[in-house]
Amino acid sequence: MTREVVIVGGGTGGSVLANDLADRFEAEIDAGDVRVTLVNDSEDHVYKPVWLYVPFGKREPSDGRRPLRDLVDSRVDVVVDRVTDIDTDAQRLTYRDGGGPGRYDKLVLATGSTLAPDEIPGLAGGGHNYYTEEGALALQDELLSFTEGHLVLSVIGSPHMCPAAPLEFVFMADDWFRKRGLRDDIDITYTYPIQRVHGNPHIAEWAEPLMEDRGINVETFFNAEEIDAENGVMTSMEGGELDYDLLVAIPPHRGIDLVEDAGLGDRGWVEVDSETLEAEHADNVYALGDTADAGVPKAGSVAHYQAGVVAQRIASELRDRPATETYDGKTLCFVETGMDAASYVEFDYENPPSPATPSKKLHWAKLAYNESYWLTARGLL
Amino acid sequence: MSETQAEKTVDARGAACPGPLMDLVGAIREVDSGSVVALLSDNDQSLVDVPEWADESGNEVVATEEEDDYYRILVRKA
């Protein structure tokens, strides 16, 4: 019987994994012994980091979209459908349109993050964000016409996609307004839910003096409680209050209900062993990228590295060999520190980050990576 | 295990900082004033983060209990 490997989610993790498996199982797939299916609820693969640049008029959302079928090896069955139920005991899947394999031998959940602005009263109508395509375009409209007042960047949800992105946004906004001669008329405030400006203490220690140098106000221990859009006021659980003219908020994040319904973890994140990425509450189920609750950043590089680990483990298991590959927490991020300078961090479970001195070269390296990302998705880089 | 009662328990064992505190904040959002939330954390940083946040937010740490390999921190919502 053909062994079924089903990957749910065609983002970075799912695509890299599908291509990796197609490569490893080339002979078995051709012989009909293994089938790799990638299920995604859209025809397109989306590279979300492009959205950071959209509000500043530097990129278009279409720069971050490619047809999924163009990125994935032809040996992979790409199914555009939505998985609506997982029975982990019977190892069976149900689909909205009935499109994919009913059973699985190995299941990988790479379903990513969704936004939950409704969890904060007033946020859905009162705050902008660059964590969706529509949000980035709406923010672009606001930002391009913003010439004076108080811009507040509030990190409301944690964990959230790309922990560096809120820092990047305020650094870029500061520089962008300076270059346009508007900075003296615009105050910028950055809020963060804990007692420092970033979850990782080493990155916080690096970023805080930069923010001070640039006159970016900081409010820590600020967990937004309510947004009063009509009056431009946000209040926090800690009793703080901030007036704003333009609010850019990182909303609470969740995984998808499917995960919780299947008993695999809370808030749509799959509880996994942080090294093997195996689900804690089911056999033959893996999770990677944002979906995996592994205590690491929700970032594309994480999904990329984890995909290699999961591919090796699945290949070994289906060949009745010991699965030896483990994920060591490796994370790699470029961090924009202005419109033409960036830093870079690399870290893992054992080694903390040590942010590089910002430079133009690193900024261009980030832009070059963004362009070459499509090679990553294809499994070539 | 302690006898102290909590309306809600958040198990953040295994989570890296600031995960446990953020899990606690999320749980506090969901309970009524006066309710007690228990945070289970095996991260020593929680012993600092949680009292600091409670001070800042006006909530109260009513007990910190050391279990075999984790802490149970009880916070009453103001």
Side-chain angles (χ1 to χ4, degrees), chain A residues 46-114:
Chain A
V46 179
Y47 181 52
K48 297 177 182 178
V50 162
W51 296 336
L52 173 65
Y53 301 88
V54 170
F56 300 102
K58 297 288 187 183
R59 284 286 184 280
E60 298 301 324
S62 57
D63 296 334
R65 283 185 171 276
R66 294 282 190 283
L68 187 56
R69 283 190 171 86
D70 290 353
L71 299 174
V72 176
D73 191 292
S74 59
R75 287 184 174 81
V76 174
D77 284 357
V78 175
V79 172
V80 178
D81 202 339
R82 180 176 275 264
V83 174
T84 54
D85 185 62
I86 304 170
D87 180 340
T88 56
D89 292 330
Q91 297 191 188
R92 298 201 65 82
L93 300 168
T94 306
Y95 300 82
R96 181 188 57 201
D97 305 324
R103 67 173 180 83
Y104 63 83
D105 294 284
K106 298 290 174 185
L107 173 67
V108 184
L109 297 170
T111 46
S113 295
T114 60

Side-chain angles (χ1 to χ4, degrees), chain A residues 237-238, chain B residues 28 33-35 50-51 53-62 75-78:
Chain A
M237 292 171 71
E238 294 78 15
Chain B
I28 291 278
S33 181
S35 299
V50 173
W53 178 74
D55 278 351
E56 188 79 16
S57 58
N59 299 296
E60 181 191 4
V61 176
V62 291
V75 179
R76 178 176 284 114
K77 183 171 180 174

Side-chain angles (χ1 to χ4, degrees), chain A residues 15-29:
Chain A
S15 298
V16 173
L17 175 64
N19 282 320
D20 194 327
L21 289 172
D23 198 33
R24 288 173 195 266
F25 284 124
E26 184 177 342
E28 289 98 328
I29 292 172

Side-chain angles (χ1 to χ4, degrees), chain A residues 334 342 360-372:
Chain A
F334 290 100
K360 281 192 179 184
K361 281 181 189 171
L362 286 171
H363 167 70
W364 287 107
K366 172 155 186 166
L367 295 190
Y369 179 78
N370 284 347
E371 292 301 315
S372 59

